[in-house]
Amino acid sequence: IAQKKLEIAALVQSTPVVVFTYSLSPFCTETTALLDRLMMNNNNNKNNNNNISYHEISLGGEWLPGLLQEPVTRAALAEMTGQSSLPHVFVGGKSIGGLFSGTPGLVPALKEGTFLDMVQQAVVAAAARTTTTTPGRTSSESSNSIASL
């Protein structure tokens, strides 16, 4: 579990928005559909120059035995955040919880008007990380762009 926690931490730090899902969960499906609509609307805004996307990690069909393909990932998430249920959304490396609950949760963050601001801050931070210079090349040459995730 320790190694998986390190992998999760690296992923959620390197990608502005990450969502862990089950493919058969209606809450997960609703979360990704909502994110799809939000990201599409934001990317179509002519006043916005940022291509925002999210990275989905499916842990299998559902939490039931035989349908869960990544039990270690689920256990690591639970240890890291105290939440074992999915969906689980991370923005800028921080857990905001699930669809309706968490810290504060996707829907509550949207109602509060804070979600898109959190995403924008995460995009800016990710862009800053990918443009740091190392001898001979920039780190953006060796990493995936936000748009390709």
Side-chain angles (χ1 to χ4, degrees), residues 13-16 50 119-134 137-141 143-146:
Q13 286 294 328
S14 68
T15 307
N50 296 304
V119 171
Q120 189 61 41
Q121 290 172 5
V123 168
V124 169
R129 282 191 302 271
T130 61
T131 58
T132 57
T133 305
T134 57
R137 67 178 185 184
T138 64
S139 62
S140 63
E141 294 171 335
S143 65
N144 292 328
S145 70
I146 295 167

Side-chain angles (χ1 to χ4, degrees), residues 81-120:
T81 66
Q83 175 184 324
S84 62
S85 62
L86 298 183
H88 200 129
V89 181
F90 287 81
V91 178
K94 296 180 181 125
S95 167
I96 68 162
L99 181 59
F100 295 107
S101 62
T103 52
L106 178 58
V107 170
L110 286 166
K111 286 182 179 178
E112 294 169 4
T114 58
F115 179 75
L116 290 176
D117 290 338
M118 287 188 286
V119 171
Q120 189 61 41

Side-chain angles (χ1 to χ4, degrees), residues 5-25:
K5 287 166 63 174
L6 292 173
E7 292 171 14
I8 292 168
L11 174 65
V12 300
Q13 286 294 328
S14 68
T15 307
V17 180
V18 177
V19 59
F20 291 86
T21 64
Y22 296 127
S23 61
L24 299 176
S25 164

